[in-house]
Amino acid sequence: MKRYPKLIRFFGIMLCFLILDFKTAYAIEGGSDALNSPFVVPVNTIVSSSMYGGCSGALLSPYIVATAGHCILDSSGLISKEIYVGEAGQENSNNFIKWNRVTSIEITSSYQGGADGKVGKDDIVFLLLANPLKYSTPVRLASEAEILNFKTSKSQLKILGYGIVSDKGETSIKPKSMNASFSPITALDSNAAYASSANSDACSGDSGGPVLSISASEIIVVGITTGIRKSVNCTKAETDGSFLTLFSLISRYTNLAFAAATKNTEKMVANNILSIRKLEESIAALEEENSGLLDANADFNDENEKLKIDVEDLKTAFLENQNNIIDLEKQIEELQIQIELLKEQIPTTITCIKGKLTKKVTAVKPACPSGYKKK
């Protein structure tokens, strides 16, 4: 078992970082489909004007992602000014400029990219995002005691990434996962460890992906994939046929995680203060508008009172008119009776005949003389 560190010293730990000429970063050889996994995110970094680097990342909170330090460097070895993070478990894309942009980075002051293709010490970084990502399954960081227990018991681990899927360079835009165990082999970097797998291995582009301990009750982030003993694009098998993956122990960098969380809190507080100020401005505007409405309402009430008085006057006038109408109707009835009586007193003329004789009689109640008949 002691032969592994010697082999690794001889060959070096190659960076698990895929530099692309505007192509997509892709995932784990011999792994399982991890599409829609809530734990792994694609991380793309602008390396130069014509290239970007594709890596993986571990989603720790809606605003914080952990990845490998070498994943965020530009072609000059400095931290890139343009780093983008996609949604967890989603397909990788060339159109990553529309992804969530990194606004702040927490990295050790002593970090330097490794020389001759080797992984540098403290190869881990925490990214603070401009906007929150969907965070459906909470995770927590492993403690130092848990790390020691995992290593002693050779605990089962799950590694996820967006790297190439074969040593020949075959690619997939979907994330992959593989099962491994915590290796008892001691890494050269005291802040790193190895995961061992019998039939799967990490490839270029898997750097920064989460190394997880998954139980029925919780998900624990043990570390971040940082390097492999490289064949062509993927891990070179050891003499016993197993594959080793180097990862940074996240428990050694809780200060950086705390700093990122603090910045995130400060950012949220600043955003909340800004929101409060905007709300206060909105409230002031609403109060001013409300004051105007109150004044208008007072004017309306005054006008309404006047209208009420006018309505009461109209009601009174209406009642008076109704009474007048009733009186007039009574007078009309009396006049109609008088008219009928007068009609009875108006004389009328009738014609009476007796043989060839004709006589007209005019009276209130005319009647023909004796011997005459009414014509």
Side-chain angles (χ1 to χ4, degrees):
M1 299 296 285
K2 293 181 180 179
R3 65 182 180 277
Y4 292 113
K6 292 180 180 178
L7 285 170
I8 292 166
R9 287 192 189 97
F10 179 77
F11 289 103
I13 303 297
M14 302 302 292
L15 296 184
C16 213
F17 182 45
L18 183 59
I19 301 294
L20 301 169
D21 186 5
F22 282 97
K23 296 178 182 177
T24 311
Y26 305 96
I28 289 169
E29 183 177 30
S32 302
D33 186 3
L35 188 65
N36 297 321
S37 168
F39 312 117
V40 62
V41 295
V43 178
N44 286 344
T45 301
I46 299 297
V47 177
S48 68
S49 59
S50 61
M51 290 191 300
Y52 75 89
C55 269
S56 308
L59 184 61
L60 305 182
S61 78
Y63 283 95
I64 299 175
V65 168
T67 189
H70 65 262
C71 286
I72 63 165
L73 303 180
D74 62 19
S75 56
S76 62
L78 300 175
I79 294 174
S80 173
K81 295 181 180 179
E82 290 188 69
I83 306 167
Y84 300 90
V85 178
E87 288 288 347
Q90 300 305 298
E91 293 182 347
N92 209 331
S93 168
N94 288 334
N95 195 23
F96 61 85
I97 297 298
K98 294 183 179 180
W99 288 358
N100 211 326
R101 188 164 182 170
V102 174
T103 59
S104 179
I105 296 168
E106 292 298 324
I107 191 170
T108 60
S109 58
S110 60
Y111 172 74
Q112 290 182 341
D116 301 324
K118 295 181 181 179
V119 173
K121 187 178 180 181
D122 301 324
D123 192 25
I124 188 171
V125 64
F126 295 86
L127 311 176
L128 183 60
L129 307 179
N131 300 296
L133 292 175
K134 183 179 179 182
Y135 184 64
S136 59
T137 306
V139 300
R140 71 172 178 84
L141 306 187
S143 67
E144 191 64 23
E146 287 172 324
I147 293 291
L148 294 174
N149 179 58
F150 290 152
K151 185 173 183 178
T152 302
S153 60
K154 300 179 183 179
S155 294
Q156 290 297 303
L157 303 173
K158 184 173 285 292
I159 301 174
L160 299 100
Y162 279 87
I164 285 174
V165 296
S166 78
D167 209 33
K168 295 179 181 179
E170 295 177 54
T171 60
S172 169
I173 59 175
K174 300 176 182 179
K176 298 286 184 180
S177 70
M178 72 175 185
N179 295 320
S181 59
F182 206 121
S183 174
I185 300 172
T186 300
L188 296 177
D189 182 357
S190 60
N191 293 329
Y194 293 114
S196 176
S197 176
N199 49 25
S200 300
D201 58 292
C203 302
S204 295
D206 287 326
S207 274
V211 178
L212 306 174
S213 171
I214 301 177
S215 67
S217 58
E218 61 181 346
I219 311 295
I220 301 175
V221 181
V222 179
I224 301 298
T225 300
T226 52
I228 56 175
R229 193 165 73 86
K230 200 171 183 181
S231 173
V232 179
N233 290 299
C234 299
T235 308
K236 185 176 182 179
E238 302 301 322
T239 56
D240 63 354
S242 65
F243 301 94
L244 292 179
T245 300
L246 182 71
F247 62 94
S248 293
L249 297 169
I250 205 162
S251 63
R252 309 288 169 83
Y253 302 94
T254 52
N255 60 322
L256 295 180
F258 179 76
T262 300
K263 281 190 176 180
N264 181 49
T265 301
E266 291 172 349
K267 175 183 176 182
M268 293 179 69
V269 169
N271 288 339
N272 287 338
I273 291 173
L274 182 61
S275 298
I276 289 171
R277 287 177 180 171
K278 288 182 178 179
L279 285 173
E280 288 175 343
E281 291 174 358
S282 298
I283 290 171
L286 288 172
E287 286 178 343
E288 184 177 352
E289 183 179 353
N290 187 52
S291 177
L293 289 173
L294 289 174
D295 291 340
N297 190 50
D299 294 340
F300 174 79
N301 286 335
D302 291 341
E303 188 66 26
N304 190 45
E305 289 300 321
K306 292 178 182 178
L307 289 174
K308 283 182 179 179
I309 294 171
D310 291 342
V311 168
E312 290 300 321
D313 291 342
L314 288 172
K315 284 182 178 179
T316 302
F318 177 75
L319 291 174
E320 290 177 354
N321 287 335
Q322 278 190 320
N323 292 332
N324 291 335
I325 289 170
I326 292 171
D327 291 341
L328 287 172
E329 287 177 344
K330 288 180 179 179
Q331 292 177 21
I332 289 170
E333 287 179 1
E334 291 175 355
L335 288 172
Q336 285 178 337
I337 293 171
Q338 291 178 13
I339 288 170
E340 292 299 323
L341 292 173
L342 289 172
K343 281 182 178 180
E344 292 177 357
Q345 297 176 13
I346 295 173
T348 57
T349 300
I350 61 174
T351 301
C352 301
I353 58 173
K354 182 179 179 182
K356 293 181 179 180
L357 296 175
T358 299
K359 183 180 283 189
K360 290 185 178 182
V361 179
T362 300
V364 174
K365 293 181 179 180
C368 290
S370 178
Y372 283 80
K373 294 181 181 178
K374 187 177 180 180
K375 184 178 179 180

